[in-house]
Amino acid sequence: MAEHEHEDGRAHEHVRVAVIGSGFGGLGAAVRLRREGITDFVVLERAGSVGGTWRDNSYPGCACDVPSHLYSFSFAPNPDWPRTFSGQEHIRAYLEHVADVFRLRPHLRFDSEVKRMTWNAELLRWDIETASGNLSADVVVSATGPLSDPKVPEIPGLNSFPGKVFHSARWDHDEDLSGKRVAMVGTGASAIQIVPAIQPKVGRLTLFQRTPPWVMPRMDRAISGAERALHRALPFTTQMRRGMLWGIRELQVQAFTKRPDELGFVEKLAKRNMARAIKDPALRAKLTPDYRIGCKRILLSSEYYPALARPNVDVVTSGLAEVRGSTVVAADGTETEVDVIVFGTGFHVTDMPIAERVVGADGHTLAESWKDGMQALRGASAAGFPNWMTIIGPNTGLGNSSMILMIESQLNYMADYLHQLGVLGGRAALDARPSAVNAWNRTVQERMKRTVWNTGGCTSWYLDASGRNTTIWPGTTAEFRRATRRVDLAEYAVLRAPAPAAGGGAPASEGGAPSVDAPPGEGGAPAAEGGAPSSKGKPSTGRKSVTA
């Protein structure tokens, strides 16, 4: 970690890489940096502990809907997952243990929310303002994640509500719901876990449903002691289990991306799942979606429908429109008296707040650059934002598999990005060419046209304000891994810092404008295959077994 001196003589902290966020993406980036031999980095975290969304979401019933052995790092297998679908507390413990096992603690900066990061074109670095002080970095890896900033709708009269109001991602554990009248707003992945968890204790539960979800049974069970012992004794069995889970999901991708009509059979299974628990035809009609399964996220629960059938639960098939004191009013005029309002209304996914805080080479924020929709070269690099990369960027989300697979692919890309900077030598930066970003995005959007997410007849959080899907990857995880295996320098402009004038530190050119190296060739991005591979030494392949 280096220190430079300001013009006024104050010491200025400078690092090679600054990672933003300490969830799966941020910790994964930190581990990969260490494995690449890079130790001059910090991980800036706004909260007081690691975990990202698995720290923030601690609501009753919170658990993952991806099998545990697939929802973990390939380089940090955990033979001791207690359930096939692990709960929030176990996933958070796993991430804490990853931070310990890979010796990441010295790099972590808690309570260091990034207020602003600005590209310094003269010095080819990022100047970063945080809640705990300022620093600069050659490269920024933004791993804030799309599920980090809760979205609460603007409801007229909400401020006048006399009871407690909170979002599922900011659960108020001091509020005892026993015997109370609770309004649950939303029917997404969080809500279907919260409803069965709180239904037995509340006095009355009113669910405000704008759009019913498709819900499949959750095949969850405890992993036996014998299974765990086997995984500990023979690590390859954990890899086999992970490989099988991955392979099944890869085979499902075609139905989502190319042949949505094949999902009709899955709809029948979902309806059968509903019919087993919901005997009332009127309630069944309320809960039956009118769009193709898979268009919105398919939810997993074996307890949601039974909970909705209980006598203390009401389903209002309309969104919350107004609050009048302790009375909540639905869009269809239904009025209900409640004591507590819980919002399960999702997150700022296509309008991530971090984008407002990133100021690029032309003085514009990333949010301004993305005003017509998010787009990034291979889900990582935005034009006009040199040496800035994002983990879980635009069009890297999945509808049927584990995001950890996508994160690890992006970490491969990050590692080669830093390798290429090292090969270039000196003070250099890579800035994604607009032509490459546009070509990549056109290809992605063209592939998106026939997917279930675009043709299924629903409105989902995958779509931005203009109706474009800027969230999901329209292919397999294997395709994405190939596309991000290497950095193609033809897709980037190489920026060089101006040479210092003879005998002094003044830049060679007035204003310190960096020079731009000629590219190896104009670089339009191919559909899914990576560009020309670069030469690189093999990374470490050592594995560490993690027991959370």
Side-chain angles (χ1 to χ4, degrees), residues 289-339:
D290 61 359
Y291 55 88
R292 173 65 76 197
I293 194 169
C295 182
K296 292 168 74 77
R297 184 173 173 180
I298 299 174
L299 306 182
L300 303 181
S301 177
S302 298
E303 301 171 330
Y304 179 65
Y305 287 139
L308 296 185
R310 302 300 297 171
N312 67 331
V313 178
D314 295 314
V315 177
V316 177
T317 56
S318 186
L320 180 60
E322 185 182 358
V323 177
R324 301 174 192 155
S326 61
T327 303
V328 291
V329 185
D332 64 3
T334 303
E335 297 185 7
T336 309
E337 291 286 320
V338 298
D339 306 305

Side-chain angles (χ1 to χ4, degrees), residues 3 10 17 93 139 212 260 337 353 365 461 501 522:
E3 283 192 347
R10 289 181 294 111
V17 183
V139 177
E337 291 286 320
T365 66
W461 58 266
E522 275 304 316

